[in-house]
Amino acid sequence: MQRIICIANQKGGVGKTTTTVNLASCLAAMEKRTLLIDLDPQGNSTSGVGLNKNESYPTIYQVLMGEVNIIKAICSTELKKLSCIPSNANLTGAEIELITEENREFRLKKSLESIGDNFDFILIDSPPSLGLLTVNALTAARSILIPIQSEYYALEGLSALMETIGRVRENLNPSLEIEGAVLTMFDSRTRLSAQVSEEVKKFFGEKLYETVIPRNVQLSEAPSFGKPIILYDIRSSGAQAYLNLTKELVTRG
């Protein structure tokens, strides 16, 4: 069955886009037909898979506004099994433009109906906020994956995210599940990372993935070359971590 997963955390700088791009690319490398939807106006997932944010092809903004069918917005990438629906700064206006529209929370969900079963996995990179774009992602998704940075304030804001998930379940998407949580930017040399890991484990229990994503220079460099980590340096610890995380994700399904 097709799995639609929203990657979300309203706290910025937690490795959300890095996780989306690299999970999507690793799934594609495992021969899973994968679609990455960039729902963040910053467009970092778009450039992260090698697409130019400034090109004139259709974007997710035009899809949400009903200007183009979602099929026409799908772009191929360097990885045969990975496709992407790009984003750019125009998406910033969508939350304001849609606010008075009927069924505004269901725009993405409705659009995805045209795709059918063409993909095994659809990953949605949501913006670092709990606004209408993120609500659209949560309404369209079957589950949510939450990246959490291994830092002192790791759990800060998570209660707000969980409240939003609860409201979406209650009013818009009753079947929405927690796919899991993953620790990012983990430094095994520090006591803090170990302490954060324990706190997150208490919060999420078995929903916390065993795989942790380490701090890794290559992971930081790869986006500037427009490449997922497995195309930039597959031998790096970051690439191996995301390959392991992907195996966990597939196995849990």
Side-chain angles (χ1 to χ4, degrees), residues 22-32 34 121 123 246 249-250:
N22 290 304
L23 266 180
S25 61
C26 289
L27 285 166
M30 292 172 65
E31 296 294 306
K32 304 293 184 185
T34 306
F121 284 85
L123 302 189
T246 304
L249 177 71
V250 171

Side-chain angles (χ1 to χ4, degrees), residues 9 25 97 103 113 118 206 224 237:
N9 190 330
S25 61
E97 293 172 55
N103 295 320
E113 290 174 4
N118 291 340
E206 63 182 17
S224 63
S237 61

Side-chain angles (χ1 to χ4, degrees), residues 93-126:
E95 297 210 56
I96 297 169
E97 293 172 55
L98 288 174
I99 201 70
T100 58
E101 296 293 322
E102 200 172 319
N103 295 320
R104 57 186 178 272
E105 301 93 348
F106 293 91
R107 286 298 179 102
L108 182 58
K109 182 181 177 71
K110 188 70 177 170
S111 297
L112 287 175
E113 290 174 4
S114 302
I115 287 177
D117 294 323
N118 291 340
F119 296 95
D120 302 308
F121 284 85
I122 298 176
L123 302 189
I124 308 169
D125 185 18
S126 59

